[in-house]
Each structure stands twice: as C-alpha cells, then as structure tokens.
C-alpha cells in the first residue's frame, strides 16, 4: 500500500521563476544531488501528455520534466505516454499506469471532465495525480500551471494596442481553444475582460484539440462571412491557431495582415512575429513549471508533503483545494524577443533568424 501524501497550507500567490526554483530546491534537497531515500528501489512516475499537435509537449515539457525528476531522484523511473488528442486512449493510459502500480502520475488531461473517473480510480489506488498545466477533475493531489486568465488579458491588451486608432469599434475574429481544456476557458475569460465593450466580435470559434487546420477552415469561413476588409484583428488562443489563421488570411490574399495574437512562444510563431505576420505570443517559461511539477511528483511518489513545494492552494475541479504553483506569463512582441525567450534560453537568435529572415531580424534588433 502506498503512503498517502501529507499536505500543508501555504499562502496563495503567483510567483517569479527564481522564487519557484528556490522553493523546489529547498523542498527536494537541492539540484543535482541525486539523493534518493528509497534505497535504490526508486519510485516510478508516469508522465501523460495530451497531444502531439502542440509542439511544446514533446519538445519542451517532456524532456524538462524527465530531467528534473532524475535530478531529484536518480533511481526514479519515468514512464511516458502521449494520448495524441484521444480521450479514450488517455483513459487507457491512465488505467495502465494504475495497473502497473506507479507511485505518482503527472497528467495533462486531454479532456478534464472525461478523465475525472480515472483520476478517482488512481486516488483509490493511493496513486497521487499532479495536474500539469491544466486542471483535471477528480481528487488530484497537486496542480502546477500559469495564471490562465492573465494569459488572456495579455493577449487582449496586446490586440487592442496593435489595432490602435481602430479601437473602439474594431471588429475581430476569436479563435478560441479546445472547449474541453479548462485553460481555454480561462484564456477566453481573460481576453473578454479586456475586449468587451471595446471591439465587435464578428465571429468566434472553439477549436477542438487545438488543431491548426480547424483554425484555417474557420478563418476561411469568417473571411467569407465578414469580408477581408472588415477584420481588424484576430484573437488566437495559441500559436498553432495563430498559424492556421494566418495561413488562411494569406491564402485569401489579405494584405496587410491584421494583428494576430498567440501563446507558447513556438519557434515558428517567433519567426512569424519577426516577419510581421503575427503580432505577439505569450511566453510561459517551461523550466520553472516543469521544475515545480517534477518536485511535486517526486515528493508525492515518496509519500511526502507537497506543502513545501507549493506556493499556494487552488480549488480543484470536483474536489477540495490542493497544493499549487501558479506562475506568471509574459507577453512577447518583436521588440522583446531577445529579453524574454532568448534570454531565458528557450530559443537562440540563430534558431529564430534563418538566412531568409536576416533583414527582418535586423529590424527587430536580433542581429
């Protein structure tokens, strides 16, 4: 029988990266120690990711999570699975982890509501579940993410600024995220809190599984319904939807392009920003997010309290308040790429500035 994790209350707050890392290190014995109290019979930790269409999950989050877990527990074993956007497949993956008897699960739910039953099943088997980046329903033990409402506010403010003197009265298209993702609701809430009363929403779409091709199709429909000359801006909830929307605008010969928002600081999006095709993205530093989740997973797998890792508590979906770490997102435009994503090490200037983008990068101060 696995030991139940002990939890303690902490003061709720959104924290800076350095503070989170300090708390994580203090809670787990410091970086790079490899200290493991399990006597060589280390815990097994499942990492369940939602899809392969959003670049961050496999390119950023997975390696960072695995690295941090191994730094804190050199005898821990990480078992990874990707649901590829399939709810039934992720339910099967959860069941498999429970059957194997893993000691903790880091879960990015494809559909928060649908995964509630398997989260409950894990809880009954004494397997703590750490909800990563988005809340899941059921008795989760911890939660690590960013302030989703603030993400939407940053996007909304940037869009208003980019549309300039067309506000008030500007007409926009909203390309919202997957309605089954709780974060998408938060992003939309934050954006509307800024945009309501200042713009007209000509068309608004939800985008199941965050698919760029769906955004492309919907933007083509919006252009047909509204007319290219009447779209002053595009709220796109993440960079994949931004890319699909921009591709549709270009295919329909829209010039100049209206300002388009985004999120996740994907490499392709940064290149579009340098070129002037996308106005902004939201950078969510993945390193501190993965560091906090890795620390929570190791502590939970060992039956230790999450209170020393957490910086606050949030109401869980369908359960009591749980230990949490909420980080602060950062708005990125062409002029701030160097001081944000480059400075943080997410991407290098060389990666962003291909030979074809040399002149655009010079204009953006990225030479």
């Amino acid at each position: 029988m696995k030991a139940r994790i002990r939890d303690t209350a902490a003061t709720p707050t959104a924290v800076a990266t350095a503070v989170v890392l300090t708390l994580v290190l203090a809670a787990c014995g410091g970086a790079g120690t490899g200290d493991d109290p399990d006597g060589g019979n280390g815990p097994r930790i499942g990492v369940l990711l939602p899809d392969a269409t959003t670049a961050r999950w496999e390119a950023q989050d997975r390696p960072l999570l695995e690295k941090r877990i191994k730094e804190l527990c050199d005898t821990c074993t990480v078992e990874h699975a990707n649901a590829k956007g399939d709810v039934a497949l992720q339910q099967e993956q959860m069941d498999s982890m429970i059957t194997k008897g893993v000691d903790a699960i880091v879960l990015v739910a494809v559909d928060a509501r649908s995964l509630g039953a398997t989260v409950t099943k894990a809880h009954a088997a004494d397997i703590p579940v750490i909800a990563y980046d988005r809340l899941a329903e059921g008795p989760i033990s911890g939660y690590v993410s960013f302030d989703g409402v603030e993400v939407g506010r940053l996007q909304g403010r940037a869009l208003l600024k980019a549309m300039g003197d067309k506000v008030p009265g500007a007409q926009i298209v909203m390309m919202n995220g997957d309605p089954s993702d709780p974060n998408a609701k938060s992003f939309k809430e934050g954006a509307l809190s800024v945009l309501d009363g200042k713009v007209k929403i000509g068309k608004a779409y939800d985008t199941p599984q965050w698919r760029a091709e769906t955004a492309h199709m919907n933007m083509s429909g919006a252009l047909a319904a509204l007319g290219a000359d009447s779209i002053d801006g595009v709220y796109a909830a993440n960079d994949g939807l931004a890319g699909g929307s921009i591709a549709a605008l270009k295919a329909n010969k829209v010039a100049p392009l209206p300002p388009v928002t985004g999120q996740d600081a994907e490499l392709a999006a940064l290149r579009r920003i340098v070129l002037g095709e996308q106005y902004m993205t939201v950078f969510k530093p993945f390193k501190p997010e993965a560091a906090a989740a890795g620390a929570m997973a190791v502590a939970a797998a060992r039956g230790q309290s999450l209170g020393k890792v957490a910086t606050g508590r949030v109401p869980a979906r369908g359960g009591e308040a749980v230990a949490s770490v909420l980080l602060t997102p950062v708005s990125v435009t062409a002029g701030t790429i160097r001081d944000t994503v480059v400075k943080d090490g997410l991407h290098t200037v060389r990666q962003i500035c291909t030979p074809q983008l040399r002149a655009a990068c010079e204009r953006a101060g990225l030479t």
Side-chain angles (χ1 to χ4, degrees):
M1 178 69 72
K2 297 177 176 65
R4 292 283 190 184
I5 59 174
R6 303 182 305 277
D7 201 5
T8 58
T11 303
T13 182
V15 296
T17 296
V19 176
V20 172
L21 292 176
T22 300
L23 289 167
V24 168
L25 294 175
C28 298
T33 64
D35 293 340
D36 181 55
D38 302 290
N41 185 22
R44 291 178 296 163
I45 297 173
V47 174
L48 299 185
L49 300 178
D51 63 67
T53 59
T54 303
R56 60 168 289 190
W57 301 125
E58 295 292 345
Q60 299 291 337
D61 297 88
R62 178 187 172 185
L64 288 169
L65 281 164
E66 291 179 347
K67 179 182 178 183
R68 193 66 190 131
I69 289 168
K70 295 300 287 185
E71 285 174 347
L72 298 173
C73 174
D74 58 10
T75 60
C76 280
T77 301
V78 177
E79 301 195 19
H80 158 263
N82 190 306
K84 300 178 181 178
D86 188 328
V87 173
L89 177 58
Q90 191 168 64
Q91 290 170 330
E92 291 174 6
Q93 292 167 346
M94 280 284 287
D95 285 336
S96 176
M97 294 290 177
I98 295 167
T99 300
K100 290 177 182 178
V102 299
D103 297 280
I105 297 172
V106 178
L107 171 67
V108 190
V110 174
D111 184 319
R113 187 179 300 276
S114 297
L115 268 293
T118 49
V119 171
T120 300
K121 189 184 297 186
H123 180 74
D126 290 329
I127 301 174
V129 176
I130 309 301
Y132 183 68
D133 201 72
R134 59 184 70 156
L135 276 171
E137 289 199 356
I140 61 172
S141 297
Y143 175 52
V144 179
S145 189
F146 286 80
D147 184 339
V149 174
E150 180 61 16
V151 169
R153 292 192 195 105
L154 291 175
Q155 294 169 322
R157 291 172 191 142
L159 191 58
L160 291 179
K161 181 177 180 180
M163 291 187 296
D165 58 10
K166 292 183 179 180
V167 179
Q171 179 167 248
I172 69 167
V173 173
M174 290 195 77
M175 209 65 66
N176 299 306
D178 188 336
S180 68
D181 179 348
N183 281 351
K185 180 180 179 181
S186 296
F187 305 150
K188 181 179 178 181
E189 176 187 339
L192 289 176
S193 72
V194 173
L195 297 172
D196 275 348
K198 296 183 175 66
V199 301
K200 176 184 177 182
I201 300 172
K203 289 287 183 179
Y205 303 93
D206 290 332
T207 316
Q209 299 183 24
W210 296 92
R211 292 189 176 279
E213 57 266 34
T214 303
H216 187 289
M217 177 185 69
N218 287 337
M219 180 54 67
S220 297
L223 286 166
L226 303 174
D229 294 338
S230 64
I231 298 175
D232 300 306
V234 178
Y235 169 82
N238 79 350
D239 290 334
L241 303 186
S245 299
I246 291 166
L249 291 165
K250 292 170 69 175
N252 283 275
K253 311 299 183 185
V254 177
L257 292 170
V260 181
T261 66
Q263 178 184 182
D264 291 334
E266 292 183 2
L267 185 57
L270 295 171
R271 290 171 178 165
R272 290 194 297 267
I273 290 171
V274 167
L275 279 171
E277 295 179 346
Q278 181 173 327
Y279 179 68
M280 64 84 71
T281 187
V282 175
F283 174 42
K284 300 187 296 186
F286 305 131
K287 289 180 183 178
E289 186 181 23
M296 273 197 183
V298 170
R302 290 173 171 165
Q304 298 170 350
S305 170
L306 302 188
K308 292 182 180 179
V309 181
T311 59
R313 297 175 71 83
V314 298
R317 294 171 64 89
E320 298 179 358
V322 297
S324 68
V325 173
L326 291 182
L327 295 135
T328 303
V330 180
S331 179
V332 179
T333 57
T336 62
I337 290 175
R338 181 182 292 278
D339 292 333
T340 53
V341 295
V342 172
K343 184 177 180 179
D344 194 73
L346 179 63
H347 302 296
T348 65
V349 170
R350 185 172 182 178
Q351 288 173 320
I352 298 167
C353 295
T354 62
Q356 296 86 348
L357 297 182
R358 186 172 299 162
C361 281
E362 288 178 357
R363 291 191 298 270
L366 289 174
T367 55

